[in-house]
């Protein structure tokens, strides 16, 4: 079975829960009447159903113009307190066509006598009463088992609401009404995605991820589970929902793990995404950390970076776990001197143990025109308690078709703050979007570099040389504002160049570039020019184009490529 087939099979299985269906309403629920004649769905439940912290908002988005939804769920309520506080009566007074009912979280022990109810007795009685009263009022009730709490044991969920879910299924069977086993399907969804990927759907606060509730993306991820199962139990409701939206909102969204498009091809495995041009590797994206070499501290493990990046002749122009700076990995992104919630966090220097950047999930793969590419999410995470995913970074990597004389690809990045607190980036001499070259390109000392700069020895003496659009080398060019930087070194005694073009729309463009005096690494670092912040409402966006050439840097040709890129 291919990766793609496996995904599709899981999505099909995920949305099929083996609970006996009850078919209702042979006639279509829609008619040609006005607003009041449109079928009305009312949602009753706790916070995991609400628009703000549950799946309710996503449910409403999937309705078409022929149906309405009023969310009456309230945070902190149980099957007991929802009635005693009068919310149930308000639901009945709305006279909906369908009343979706989900409780359990706040019925558990420890919630206080005003809310608690035992799953084998009182909880069932409450649900039975809800069903009977809804039917008496001419309303069709639909029961739902509780959305799972995300208590992880490795890659598996440890269920904590099973007794309440089972009680709900029993009552639905007794009353012969539709039931949606959201507890089971949400556990399956969580376990397919895993704890790191599912954090994209959880509210993030200064105390870390909320493993009970949902953010808006989470609402949109869970709601399709509810709607898909509802349509299986009540097929006549299909006319109430937007089929295209429902298909497009399934999580995980299926995509092709293997693509061919002209001279380009993409292949995904459990660990990597590899793109080739004319059967030659252009780049590899690492979804998981490669093995840490012997002698290197395991703290330097990293995922979410490009390596190897290769020239058309097969030369590897990047490095991972270099002995001199084991925290530098291929093409990567990280900030160094930052502050968040009065915490100092360094996402770059992993040995400090305060932060790191890692792969979160694959969003999509694509063949657009003649190009091939993929989108992935990375997270910038604190390493000390409480663990918080402060930034989510979306990479869109697009490899361009070439004649095979050079390789070319674009990397577009969007960093979004996941919290309500700003990430402050202090002025610093490096950090941002970085490239690490091979260890063969190391230079022994600063004095060796100075000799090259002062024309005392030939550039051949250096392991690597730098050039920017002003014609500057690694000494003069350090922290200059530049449209592009190239790094050249020898592989198998032949020169190979990797050039990075920085887009004119990037923040503080032309951006300052950190060129290391001895090591084969450079970074576009807007933090050189002073402090700035990344806030939830103001993402940090950047675009870069990469050119890899078997040969020395040609400033005129790189300039032409930069100009052509901006005219696209």
């Amino acid at each position: 079975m291919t990766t793609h087939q496996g995904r599709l099979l899981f999505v099909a299985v995920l949305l099929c829960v083996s609970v006996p269906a009850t078919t209702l309403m042979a006639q279509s629920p829609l008619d040609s009447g006005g607003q009041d004649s449109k079928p009305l769905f009312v949602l009753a439940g706790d916070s995991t159903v609400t628009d703000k912290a549950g799946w309710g908002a996503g449910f409403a988005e999937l309705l078409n113009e022929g149906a309405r939804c009023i969310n009456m769920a309230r945070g902190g309520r149980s099957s007991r307190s929802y009635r005693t506080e009068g919310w149930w009566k308000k639901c009945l007074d709305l006279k909906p066509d369908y009343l979706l009912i989900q409780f359990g979280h706040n019925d558990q022990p420890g919630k206080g006598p005003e809310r608690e109810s035992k799953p084998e007795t009182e909880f069932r009685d409450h649900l039975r009463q809800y069903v009977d009263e809804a039917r008496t009022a001419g309303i069709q009730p639909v029961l739902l088992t509780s959305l799972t709490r995300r208590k992880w044991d490795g890659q598996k969920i440890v269920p904590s609401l099973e007794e309440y879910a089972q009680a709900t299924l029993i009552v639905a069977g007794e009353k012969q009404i539709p039931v949606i086993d959201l507890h089971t399907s949400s556990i399956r969804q969580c376990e397919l995605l895993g704890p790191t990927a599912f954090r994209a759907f959880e509210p993030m606060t200064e105390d870390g991820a909320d493993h009970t509730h949902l953010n808006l993306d989470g609402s949109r991820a869970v709601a399709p589970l509810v709607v898909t199962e509802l349509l299986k139990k009540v097929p006549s409701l299909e006319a109430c929902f937007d089929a295209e939206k429902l298909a497009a909102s399934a999580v995980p969204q299926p995509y092709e793990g293997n693509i061919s498009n002209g001279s380009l091809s993409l292949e995904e495995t459990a660990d990597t995404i590899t793109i080739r041009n004319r059967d030659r590797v252009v780049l590899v994206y690492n979804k998981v950390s490669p093995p840490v070499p012997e002698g290197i501290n395991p703290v330097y493990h990293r995922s979410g970076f490009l390596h190897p990046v290769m020239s058309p002749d097969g030369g590897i122009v990047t490095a991972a776990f270099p002995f001199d700076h084991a925290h530098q990995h291929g093409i990567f992104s990280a900030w160094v001197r930052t502050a968040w919630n009065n915490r100092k966090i360094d996402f770059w220097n992993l040995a400090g143990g305060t932060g790191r950047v890692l792969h979160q999930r694959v969003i999509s793969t694509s063949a657009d025109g003649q190009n091939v590419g993929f989108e992935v999410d990375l997270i910038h995470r604190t390493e000390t308690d409480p663990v918080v995913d402060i930034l989510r970074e979306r990479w869109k990597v697009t490899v361009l078709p070439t004649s095979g004389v050079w390789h070319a690809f674009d990397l577009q990045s969007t960093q979004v703050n996941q919290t309500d607190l700003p990430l402050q980036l202090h002025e610093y001499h490096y950090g941002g979007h970085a490239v690490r070259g091979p260890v063969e390109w190391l230079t022994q000392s600063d004095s060796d570099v100075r000799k090259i700069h002062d024309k005392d020895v030939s550039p051949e003496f250096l392991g690597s040389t730098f050039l920017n659009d002003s014609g500057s080398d690694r000494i003069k060019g350090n922290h200059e504002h530049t449209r592009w930087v190239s790094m050249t070194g020898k592989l198998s005694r032949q020169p190979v160049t990797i050039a990075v073009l920085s887009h004119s729309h990037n923040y503080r463009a032309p951006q300052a570039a950190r060129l290391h005096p001895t090591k084969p690494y450079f970074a576009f670092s807007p933090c050189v020019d002073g402090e700035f912040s990344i806030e939830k409402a103001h993402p940090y966006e950047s675009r870069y184009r990469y050119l890899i050439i078997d040969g020395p840097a040609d400033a005129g040709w790189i300039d032409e490529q930069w100009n052509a890129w901006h005219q696209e």
Side-chain angles (χ1 to χ4, degrees), residues 204-224:
M204 196 65 60
T205 71
E206 59 269 24
D207 297 320
D210 180 339
H211 298 307
T212 298
H213 301 102
L214 303 169
N215 59 24
L216 182 57
D217 287 340
S219 181
R220 291 166 173 163
V222 171

Side-chain angles (χ1 to χ4, degrees), residues 487-489 494-498 549-554:
M487 177 171 61
T488 301
Q494 298 299 319
V496 181
T497 298
I498 178 169
I549 312 118
D550 287 299
D554 182 335

